[in-house]
Amino acid sequence: MEQPDLSANTVIDQPRALTDKTTLIRDAGPSKFQVIADFDGTLTRYRVNGLRGQSSHGILQQGNADFDAKREALYEHYHPLEFSPVIPLEEKTILMEEWWSKTHDLLIEGGLTYDAIKDSVSNSSIAFRDGVAELFEFLEEKEIPVLIFSAGLDDVIEEVLRQKLHRTFKNVKIVSNRMVFDNDGRLVSFKGKLIHVLNKNEHALDMAAPLHDRLGADNGEKVEENAYVKQRTNVLLLGDHMGDLRMSDGLNYETRISIGFLNDNIEKSLESYRKAFDIVYLNDAPMWGALELVSQFFPTEES
Ligand SMILES: [Mg+2]
């Protein structure tokens, strides 16, 4: 695929510091390295065909118009509260828990099926940034893990990966809300701790779960896998919100390079983004910059 010149859409506040970090990560080698990524608006595009792209939560049609409308009503009620500047964090956390649990209950009550997830994804306008598949492939070759942290729905994200990238990657793991289906493929419960927009970064590493099969079976490797991931103390972090920087909180990292995708409100937010992230990409840029960076860390030797 053609890789366009990204320089006009790239902002690096401290190029020298970035070079130093690059050297540290390269010298420590691929066995010390991992990638931690947000999903919506980071791996996926913010705009698709000129329109706002859909989120992993937003695409879900559960095949029952009443219940879709009930979830939409919850969104109308809680979404403004999420962004309210006057509600204290503690209170907001309780509200977000309320929103997520009510939404999950509606998905169960309304009889969500795995087939409805598949249909929702195939009818959606969700799309990965160009270069995401190539980035995952490169990292898979080097046996470097990718952790995707999301307050969305694990099973939807997995289906998006399957349908939009046409394959799965053994190095990619998702930390998100996981569903349990019965033998008829009907949702019966959610597994583990509720992950909402305000707690997705707490304990996220401990919740890192291997990609499970579609009936939610565990493969029992969880504990060892997580210990292994915690030893990888050099990190490339990908996010589109300031809060995403906290995704590496559960890790005592040595060197971290952060990439921020600034999708909207560019004039207002650029100052804070350029101070917070090592690299900022503007205007819904593709993922080629991240791929180039990891290729610099760990070049593939010419034979
Ligand atoms: Mg996001």
Side-chain angles (χ1 to χ4, degrees):
M1 220 178 289
E2 196 193 332
Q3 301 191 11
D5 180 14
L6 274 175
S7 51
N9 285 321
T10 309
V11 179
I12 298 170
D13 197 58
Q14 307 277 346
R16 188 61 203 278
L18 179 60
T19 310
D20 291 347
K21 288 186 190 184
T22 301
T23 307
L24 286 169
I25 291 178
R26 191 176 50 216
D27 290 351
S31 66
K32 292 287 280 180
F33 181 68
Q34 64 176 307
V35 175
I36 298 179
D38 165 59
F39 187 74
D40 289 305
T42 296
L43 296 177
T44 62
R45 284 198 240 163
Y46 190 70
R47 286 191 183 77
V48 179
N49 302 323
L51 295 172
R52 183 71 205 272
Q54 288 179 294
S55 71
S56 51
H57 248 297
I59 62 173
L60 197 55
Q61 297 291 315
Q62 63 190 100
N64 180 326
D66 279 355
F67 280 85
D68 287 338
K70 284 182 188 174
R71 285 187 297 120
E72 180 64 25
L74 289 178
Y75 178 89
E76 300 295 338
H77 175 72
Y78 286 103
H79 189 254
L81 303 178
E82 178 187 345
F83 290 96
S84 161
V86 295
I87 303 175
L89 186 65
E90 215 169 298
E91 202 177 312
K92 210 184 260 193
T93 303
I94 294 168
L95 290 166
M96 294 302 106
E97 275 168 19
E98 239 175 59
W99 180 11
W100 257 253
S101 352
K102 284 180 185 171
T103 300
H104 287 184
D105 288 348
L106 286 174
L107 290 172
I108 297 170
E109 263 177 66
L112 178 73
T113 60
Y114 199 85
D115 285 340
I117 293 181
K118 280 199 228 165
D119 291 344
S120 301
V121 172
S122 67
N123 295 328
S124 75
S125 66
I126 200 164
F128 284 101
R129 294 179 191 276
D130 285 344
V132 167
E134 288 80 353
L135 176 67
F136 286 177
E137 252 165 50
F138 178 89
L139 295 167
E140 187 181 42
E141 264 168 43
K142 305 279 177 191
E143 298 180 346
I144 293 167
V146 178
L147 290 184
I148 298 175
F149 287 174
S150 171
L153 299 160
D154 178 305
D155 306 76
V156 174
I157 294 172
E158 283 180 31
E159 193 57 32
V160 175
L161 286 165
R162 257 192 293 271
Q163 287 192 29
K164 307 290 176 179
L165 298 180
H166 309 292
R167 55 161 299 190
T168 53
F169 296 86
K170 56 179 187 294
N171 58 326
V172 175
K173 296 181 175 58
I174 300 169
V175 182
S176 190
N177 295 294
R178 295 174 68 185
M179 297 172 177
V180 180
F181 294 90
D182 67 13
N183 289 334
D184 300 324
R186 196 167 285 270
L187 175 64
V188 288
S189 62
F190 280 82
K191 198 181 247 188
K193 192 173 187 283
L194 182 77
I195 305 173
H196 57 75
V197 71
L198 292 180
N199 79 347
K200 85 168 188 179
N201 306 320
E202 296 165 22
H203 323 297
L205 279 173
D206 294 324
M207 294 188 286
L211 269 179
H212 59 100
D213 70 28
R214 74 182 188 82
L215 294 176
D218 266 322
N219 66 9
E221 290 170 6
K222 200 171 161 184
V223 176
E224 287 147 58
E225 291 256 350
N226 295 346
Y228 165 76
V229 160
K230 283 201 168 178
Q231 284 158 16
R232 294 174 171 263
T233 46
N234 291 333
V235 187
L236 175 66
L237 181 145
L238 309 171
D240 74 313
H241 278 286
M242 298 287 272
D244 290 333
L245 285 161
R246 299 196 47 212
M247 291 189 298
S248 50
D249 278 6
L251 185 74
N252 211 353
Y253 65 79
E254 282 172 53
T255 306
R256 179 183 78 177
I257 293 179
S258 54
I259 293 182
F261 289 89
L262 177 51
N263 298 316
D264 211 6
N265 278 323
I266 292 181
E267 309 81 68
K268 265 206 252 161
S269 304
L270 183 57
E271 257 327 284
S272 51
Y273 270 62
R274 68 185 296 163
K275 292 277 174 284
F277 291 94
D278 295 294
I279 304 170
V280 180
Y281 289 117
L282 309 175
N283 298 316
D284 226 1
M287 199 52 86
W288 300 123
L291 177 60
E292 200 189 305
L293 191 66
V294 294
S295 316
Q296 280 173 26
F297 297 159
F298 312 119
T300 301
E301 283 164 37
E302 303 286 335
S303 51

